[in-house]
Amino acid sequence: AQSVTQLGSHVSVSEGALVLLRCNYSSSVPPYLFWYVQYPNQGLQLLLKYTSAATLVKGINGFEAEFKKSETSFHLTKPSAHMSDAAEYFCAVSAPASNTGKLIFGQGTTLQVKP
Amino acid sequence: DSGVTQTPKHLITATGQRVTLRCSPRSGDLSVYWYQQSLDQGLQFLIQYYNGEERAKGNILERFSAQQFPDLHSELNLSSLELGDSALYFCASSPRGADNYGYTFGSGTRLTVV
């Protein structure tokens, strides 16, 4: 079975500061991992995904994440926060060996960006 | 516009009632997934349909049911509604039944049970 833990339900950074959102996963098989972003009153939008190719994955809006198998982590980073980055971020895991594309999501981390 | 269409956007109904939520997947996508998002439970996977057949089932209550029609649109039926069913219900779609593309989400239906 797969599961995802996002450390910190709320993260606050200043504009221009480093953004680090933490995600740890549990999976009995090599996982696929995803980060989604949800802006207020909208659906979730795919930021980036890891599908067993390069361990450093670049996504949209300047975000990137690194898959670390030894640490079972997939943390999301952005060098310099922008006000428009304020949103809720979800990490998700799927099992590519299963016969389903269902994703298991973490509880989400709300990112606040202060001017 | 993500290409996944959910209707209605908002729904207010009374306890004990039944409602139907509709989802049209992105063109070409064969899989439809339903999720429930609430403050206390987060994003919970309910059910997946692939090309008209149920592919995976999650934490879906017996009072809830879903189906996918030949034109690939899907409906989620919620009956005997309780206050605790108030939530955002998302539909997502993907090209195949089990793939690594991730989903495309609709904008959701906000259900309020009063």
Side-chain angles (χ1 to χ4, degrees):
Chain A
Q2 289 80 36
S3 66
V4 168
T5 302
Q6 292 184 238
L7 301 174
S9 59
H10 202 101
V11 170
S12 183
V13 301
S14 298
E15 191 173 20
L18 171 72
V19 175
L20 171 60
L21 305 182
R22 299 177 187 274
C23 172
N24 287 90
Y25 70 90
S26 172
S27 179
S28 54
V29 298
Y32 289 163
L33 294 159
F34 304 81
W35 275 99
Y36 281 83
V37 60
Q38 184 179 27
Y39 298 101
N41 300 314
Q42 293 187 28
L44 282 75
Q45 179 183 2
L46 181 64
L47 269 180
L48 50 80
K49 61 188 178 187
Y50 165 77
T51 57
S52 74
T55 56
L56 182 62
V57 180
K58 295 188 184 299
I60 62 171
N61 301 338
F63 284 94
E64 63 181 39
E66 186 172 8
F67 173 70
K68 292 187 176 181
K69 183 178 178 181
S70 61
E71 299 177 7
T72 61
S73 69
F74 190 58
H75 302 330
L76 182 70
T77 59
K78 182 173 181 177
S80 176
H82 192 272
M83 296 297 291
S84 61
D85 294 327
E88 189 158 19
Y89 292 79
F90 293 91
C91 183
V93 63
S94 74
S98 69
N99 195 31
T100 168
K102 77 174 185 181
L103 297 183
I104 304 301
F105 285 86
Q107 287 294 97
T109 298
T110 300
L111 175 65
Q112 180 188 25
V113 182
K114 298 175 292 187
Chain B
D1 181 9
S2 68
V4 178
T5 303
Q6 288 189 249
T7 57
K9 291 194 182 306
H10 302 276
L11 200 49
I12 302 175
T13 190
T15 54
Q17 295 298 305
R18 172 189 168 95
V19 297
T20 298
L21 312 184
R22 183 187 169 102
C23 170
S24 294
R26 196 178 56 164
S27 177
D29 285 357
L30 298 179
S31 267
V32 169
Y33 308 80
W34 286 97
Y35 280 80
Q36 180 193 60
Q37 185 180 34
S38 61
L39 282 175
D40 54 343
Q41 301 273 8
L43 266 165
Q44 294 289 313
F45 170 71
L46 296 178
I47 199 164
Q48 175 196 1
Y49 277 84
Y50 171 68
N51 205 21
E53 300 287 330
E54 183 183 304
R55 177 64 68 99
K57 212 165 186 175
N59 301 322
I60 188 166
L61 299 172
E62 284 191 12
R63 300 184 285 108
F64 296 1
S65 65
Q67 55 184 324
Q68 186 179 29
F69 294 87
D71 67 352
L72 300 178
H73 91 271
S74 177
E75 294 181 355
L76 179 67
N77 299 296
L78 315 177
S79 62
S80 303
L81 284 167
E82 303 174 358
L83 295 178
D85 298 326
S86 296
L88 257 176
Y89 291 85
F90 283 108
C91 166
S93 71
S94 69
R96 300 194 297 264
D99 55 52
N100 60 0
Y101 293 103
Y103 300 157
T104 302
F105 276 85
S107 56
T109 293
R110 183 173 294 279
L111 174 66
T112 303
V113 182
V114 297

